[in-house]
Amino acid sequence: MPARNRSSSAPSSLADLARAPRARLALEGSAGSGKSMAVRWLALACAAAVAGEPEGAATIFADWMPPAPLPVLLEASAFVAAAEPWSLIEAQLSASGLAAFAGSVHQALLNGEALIVIEDVTPRSIAMVTQIVAAFPANRSICTCRPHTSTNSSPAHLLQAHGFQLVHFAPLERAQVDTLVERLLTAMNRRRAVREVSGAAPSAMLRSGTIAEQIADLQGRLLIDDGLRALTFEPLAAAIAVAVDAGGHTLPAARARVYQQVIAALWGNDALPPTVLAPLALAMQRAAHDDGRSGALMRPDVERLIREGVPDADESQIAAVIEHAFETGLLDITTSETLQPAYHMPQMGLRAFLAARALAHAEDFDAIIARYADDPAWRETLTLAVWQRMNALPADDGQGQGADLSIFRHLLDRSEHGKQDRDERSAKKKPSRRAPKPIPVPQHGAGASAIAPAQATLLAAACLEAIEAQRYPDILRDVQQRLLAMVADPAVAVEDRVLAGLMLGRLGDPRFESLLPPLAQIDAGVFVYGTNDAPYSEEGPAQRIDLPAYQIGVYPVTNAEYARFLAARPGHPKPHYWYDPRFNNPSQPVVGVTWHDAVAYAAWLTRALAAEGRLPTGMVVRLPLETEWEKAAVWGPRARVKRRFPWGDQWVAGAANVAETRVGPDGKSRWATTPVGCFPGGISLYGVHDLIGNVWEWTASSTEAAPGRGAATGQRTALSRLYGDPSGAPMQRHHYVLRGSSFNSTTAHARATYRGSHLPPDYWRYNIGFRIVIARPIAGE
C-alpha cells in the first residue's frame, strides 16, 4: 500500500501512516490508483487481528499498540444532508446487514477504539465528514478522495484545512506490479482448480506451464507494449489486464480490450458515455504527433471539442464532463508555456483508444488510413481504430466471413501501388546502395493515392494481430509473406526490418514451421582458416584446411525452434531470459543457454529428424567446429578467396547488429537481439545470416583441443566432450570457444576470425546463443 506524504518525498505504507492514535489521513489518488483496495485491506487486517483470519493478514500491525481498532467503512456518496453523524453510520450498517452490531460499533466509536474509513469524499460531502470526525474525535480516521480541477476546492485541500494529513497515493513500482500479477494469477489458478474439482465448467485460463511459468510469462508480456506497460502501474488497470489475459485474450495483442474495460470502469455509470471524449482525444493525439507538442490543450479548446461529442450539452454539462474526466484520471492539468493551465490525457494508451474511436466512426475511414498510415506515430491509433471498427460489426460465423475485411484489402492494395511507384522511380535512377529517403507524410487535407509498402505492411500486421490473426488465414499468409520480404530487403530502413521481424515472430514465422531448420549447403574442399593479419595472435596463423561437406543453419537457433525442444523435453530447464521481452520474441535467437543446453538441443533434433527419416545417412545434428563456422562465414563456393567479413573485406556500417548499429539518434539503444535475418547486407556467400553480431555462438571446439591453432586435427573434439563419456569415466572441465560477436560488440571484435571468450560449458549470458550443423560425427564418435 504505497503512499507518499506531501511534506516528504519518502514513500510510506498506509499502515505506518495510520499507526499514531487519532491519526487523520486524507488519501488522494486518481480513480483506479488502489485507494479503496488499500483502505479495505487495512480494514481487513483490523478484523483479522480480532478474528484470527484470514491467516497472516494482521501482520502489518506488528508494531501497533494493542488492541487493533474496529474498522467502520462508510461511503460518502450515501450521506444524507443535515443528518446526525451516528444516524448516518447506523443507516450504512443496516444497509450492509450489520445492524445487529450497531451497539458494539457505537461503543467502540465512543471509546476511541475504531478506524473510521470514509470513501469517495467530494467537496459536497466535506461538511458531513467533518461532523462525523468531530463527533468521535478519539478514533483514527482515513478519507479517500480524487483530485479536483481546482486545488483550492479539492477534497484533499478542504480536509487538510480540518486537520487531516494530506497523503498522495503513489503509483505502483515495477516490482509491485509483478507482485500483483503473481497474487492475482495464483488466486485465479486456485479458484479454477476448485471449480474443476467441483465439476463446474472450466474457465478459459488454460495456458501451458506451471503457475510460476504463467506468472513469469505474463509479467514479461505486460512490458512489451509501451501504452499497456504505463497503464499497468495503476492497480485497477493491472487487475483488468490480468483478467483479460486469463480470459483467453493474449496480451499485448488484446490490449484494446484492456483499454476498453479500464475506461468503462473509471468512467462508471455517468449520464454521458466516455465516448464524448473521443473528439478531444483525437485533437490531443494530433497535437502530440503532428505538431510535435505534448498534446496539451487550453480550456476553451477542451470545451469546444467536448461539445463536438455532446452537441446538445449546455455549459454546466460540459463543465461536469471535464470535472468527471479529471476525477477519473482521463484528464490531467499541467502548466503551459504561458503559465496557463493546460489539459492533457496522461495515459497514452487510453488517449489512443479514445482517439481511435473518433477515427473508427468517421465516414471517410479509407481516406484516414491513407492520410496517416505512412506515419509510424499513428500506427497504434490506427490499429485500435481498426479493432473498434471490426468489433462494431455483427458477430461473424466463426470463420471471419462476416467481418469487413475490405480494410486490409484497401490497405494492402494501396501499398502495392506504392511499391510500383517506388520501383518505377528506382528504375529511372542509377543503382545505389543507400536506403531511399522516406516518403513524406501527407498533410491532413490531402488525399494519398499510395502508401509506403513497408508502413502499410507493418500497419496491416499490427491490425491483424489485434483482431486475432488466425481467424483470417488468407490475409495472414499474405501479410507474413510481405513481412518476410521486408526483412530481406536492404532498401527498407533497419528499424522497419526489425519491427517486421518482431511482428513476424508474433504472427507466426513461416521460416521455422518445419522441424528441419533452413540450412545452407557448404561444399567439401580446402579453405583458408585463420589469418596472419589480425591484432590478436590467436587468430592466426593462416592455414589451409580440408573439410568434408556439411550443412549449417542459415540462422542461429530461434526461440520458436527452442520452444519445440522444450515442449518435447518438459523437464529441461528453460533458458535464462526466456520470459524477458527484450529477448523472447519467437523469431529472435534463443539466448541465456549454456553449452550443455545447446548440445542437448542438437542431440534431441538428431533423434527427431532421424525418426522422421529426414536426416542423411551417417550424419548428426551438432554444434559447428570453429573451422566449419569460419568457412561458412568468409569462404565462397566459387571465388575461393577468403574475406575479412561475410560481406567483404571492408566494414560496412549497418551490415550487422552490433553496438554502433543499434544506437539511435538520441544515443540510446533501440533494441538488443534482433529477429534473425534482419541484416541482409551481412549475408555470407553461402547464404548464411547473422554470422557477425546479434549473438555470440557456442562451438564444439574447446580451447584445449586447439593449442596455438595448429594442425587441422587439433580442431576435432572428442564425442565424450559433447555428449558425455560412455565409459563412465569422469570428464575434465573444458572451455569452449564462442564465435561471431554480438549486439553489444564493438566493430573492433566484429570479424570472422575473432575468437570470443573461452567459457565453461555451464556458462550463460544474455548475448550467447548457438546455431547447428548437420555433418559427420566428430572424430572419436
Side-chain angles (χ1 to χ4, degrees), residues 34 57 66 88 96 99 136 144 183 247 253 402 410 474 515 522 549 553 588 608 648 664 674 677 683 721 734 740:
L88 284 176
S96 302
F136 305 104
T144 69
R183 291 179 177 177
H410 170 79
D474 292 341
L515 180 65
I522 312 298
Q588 286 176 292
T674 51
I683 191 172
R721 294 180 188 166
H734 295 281

Side-chain angles (χ1 to χ4, degrees), residues 558-560 562-563 566 574-581 583-584 590-591:
T558 62
N559 289 311
Y562 202 83
L566 292 176
K574 289 182 171 59
H576 300 270
Y577 311 104
W578 187 248
Y579 297 112
D580 190 321
F583 304 106
N584 69 355
V590 64
V591 297

Side-chain angles (χ1 to χ4, degrees), residues 431-452:
S432 173
R433 298 184 65 180
R434 300 180 67 180
K437 294 182 179 179
I439 299 174
V441 179
Q443 297 301 312
H444 292 322
S449 61
I451 302 171

Side-chain angles (χ1 to χ4, degrees), residues 81 246 273 598 619 726:
M619 298 290 184

Side-chain angles (χ1 to χ4, degrees), residues 614-678:
R614 305 176 70 181
L615 196 63
T617 303
M619 298 290 184
V620 296
V621 181
R622 57 172 172 80
L623 294 178
L625 294 166
E626 285 194 87
T627 49
E628 294 166 333
W629 188 96
E630 192 170 308
K631 182 175 182 179
V634 291
W635 199 245
R638 295 185 181 87
R640 302 291 172 182
V641 175
K642 182 167 188 174
R643 295 175 159 192
R644 186 175 177 85
F645 307 100
W647 54 84
D649 291 325
Q650 301 298 320
W651 178 261
V652 175
N657 179 19
V658 293
E660 71 168 20
T661 309
R662 69 191 188 94
V663 176
D666 58 357
K668 296 180 180 179
S669 297
R670 293 176 286 183
W671 55 70
T673 60
T674 51
V676 297
C678 285

Side-chain angles (χ1 to χ4, degrees), residues 681-706:
I683 191 172
S684 78
L685 290 174
Y686 283 108
V688 186
H689 288 257
D690 294 319
L691 287 158
I692 296 297
N694 220 2
V695 290
W696 286 104
E697 299 176 19
W698 285 111
T699 70
S701 299
S702 70
T703 53
E704 294 83 355

